[in-house]
Amino acid sequence: MSQEVTKVKDVLVLNERVFSICDAWPLKKNYTNFVAYMCYLTVHMVIMYMDLFDAFGNLEAVVDNVMDNTIATAVYFILFLLRFDKMIERAIVIVKQEIAEARFEDVEEMRLYFVYHKISDKFGRYAVAVTTTIAVLWYLTPMLQLLKPNSGEGNETNAYALPFRVHAFFDYQDDFRAFMFMFLYQFPLMFIALCHINAVSLLLSLVLHVCGKFSILSYRIKNIPIKSHVNLDNKIKELVIAHIKLILTANSINSALQFFLLIELIQTSIRMAVLIYMILLDSGDKLVSTFTYALYVSIVTSILYLYSYMGERLSYESSKVSEAYYDTDWHVLSVREQKLLLLVMSSGRQTLHITAGKFYTFSLNSFIDVMKTSFGYVSLLRALI
């Protein structure tokens, strides 16, 4: 095959560009923007949780705060992990090197890999573009509200509203200067949503790259040219080394990001429960607000499903490796060579998973369990409030 056909696009370039804005990309050694942005986020999280404390007793205010602070908290930790976790750095280096050196022995191997590669590429480009648009529109919404003409009623009051809820140490709702100060202060917060979806895209790219490599490995094992009298010992040794390397890469990715995935699991369940409760509470009364909450629930559910999909595909592709040895023409081999195949098949029977905190395994069945848990939280809210 020609080089143009086998050349693989580096899907991590987009992730690198986004995280390099705040110097969070682990392969860059500049810390200036990172320190500045993390100091800003630290201050913001303090006043954000102060506002959550102030909002207790007002369910709608609590929901608005939770929708913001859960993502901000997750991004706060993922930026630290990206910047300082050596396992993430090592996993990124390995994947980038494998992408740059990608070689396919035939068209089928290329097809197997690009099934996953195209998902990573399309999700990264579209998700970042859509999230950027939504974040900008969300930030500009208060200014667009100010441009709306007054209805002319004398009893109408137009209090200024910020894009994101925070505890303000002074009154800004009736003071335009104070409002503009707080509005400009919140400008860097738009980057939180972009960092969050970019972290999801990075995890997706890393995991699906490994899935594609597992798929190619299974294909090569099933098509070992046994009847051509190749040196079977060397061929199996080569495949076993490739398998071990893939297992180490997958485990490194999982170990490095399982704390982030644990935060995502907790905050996703809480957000989904609170939002579903608000839908039930506002149903039929506030159509626009109900539609907004429903859209938000669909986004949260989609991200959780994406994590479950990644875990399901990794488990499936890793389990196929052992089965691939059985699909070879082993019956034409000598007894010694059959024992060799049986040995590598038994030792390679390892199903890999994407886990959160070493106790929750992401899969499609687990996705259903999380949905049940979220609806359990809804029932609890309805009983307590």
Side-chain angles (χ1 to χ4, degrees), residues 123-160:
F123 178 84
R125 289 188 288 110
Y126 294 143
V128 168
V130 171
T131 302
T132 302
T133 303
I134 293 176
V136 172
L137 292 176
W138 184 274
Y139 178 74
L140 294 178
T141 296
M143 298 303 296
L144 297 177
Q145 293 291 335
L146 293 179
L147 297 178
K148 292 173 60 177
N150 293 330
S151 61
E153 298 178 4
N155 60 348
E156 184 178 357
T157 57
N158 291 326
Y160 300 118

Side-chain angles (χ1 to χ4, degrees), residues 211-229:
C211 290
K213 299 290 286 186
F214 268 118
S215 183
I216 292 175
L217 179 62
S218 299
Y219 173 77
R220 289 179 178 177
I221 291 172
K222 286 190 294 186
N223 292 275
I224 296 176
I226 292 176
K227 296 181 180 180
S228 61
H229 305 290

Side-chain angles (χ1 to χ4, degrees), residues 43-217:
V43 173
H44 172 69
M45 290 184 65
V46 171
I47 62 177
M48 178 182 61
Y49 280 101
M50 290 176 63
D51 177 74
L52 179 61
F53 180 79
D54 296 338
F56 280 127
N58 185 341
L59 181 59
E60 189 171 353
V62 170
V63 171
D64 290 340
N65 185 287
V66 167
M67 286 194 296
D68 293 337
N69 69 31
T70 49
I71 296 180
T73 303
V75 170
Y76 188 79
F77 285 107
I78 191 59
L79 290 179
F80 270 111
L81 288 173
L82 277 172
R83 182 72 273 188
F84 299 111
D85 197 309
K86 296 300 180 183
M87 287 190 295
I88 295 181
E89 180 180 352
R90 184 164 56 250
I92 291 175
V93 169
I94 292 173
V95 171
K96 288 182 71 70
Q97 182 179 1
E98 289 181 351
I99 291 176
E101 299 174 354
R103 295 293 183 272
F104 306 108
E105 295 181 0
D106 55 39
V107 177
E108 180 62 18
E109 286 189 5
M110 184 177 65
R111 187 194 66 80
L112 291 171
Y113 181 80
F114 274 94
V115 167
Y116 294 107
H117 184 271
K118 289 179 179 178
I119 296 175
S120 303
D121 183 34
K122 290 182 179 180
F123 178 84
R125 289 188 288 110
Y126 294 143
V128 168
V130 171
T131 302
T132 302
T133 303
I134 293 176
V136 172
L137 292 176
W138 184 274
Y139 178 74
L140 294 178
T141 296
M143 298 303 296
L144 297 177
Q145 293 291 335
L146 293 179
L147 297 178
K148 292 173 60 177
N150 293 330
S151 61
E153 298 178 4
N155 60 348
E156 184 178 357
T157 57
N158 291 326
Y160 300 118
L162 292 172
F164 308 97
R165 289 189 61 92
V166 292
H167 175 84
F169 296 95
F170 50 85
D171 184 20
Y172 65 86
Q173 293 183 333
D174 299 307
D175 186 341
F176 182 72
R177 284 190 174 182
F179 167 74
M180 286 304 300
F181 174 79
M182 293 296 296
F183 182 79
L184 294 175
Y185 149 78
Q186 292 191 347
F187 177 78
L189 296 181
M190 290 191 298
F191 193 62
I192 288 179
L194 186 58
C195 280
H196 182 260
I197 199 65
N198 198 52
V200 175
S201 174
L202 174 62
L203 177 60
L204 179 71
S205 299
L206 295 176
V207 174
L208 292 191
H209 168 79
V210 176
C211 290
K213 299 290 286 186
F214 268 118
S215 183
I216 292 175
L217 179 62

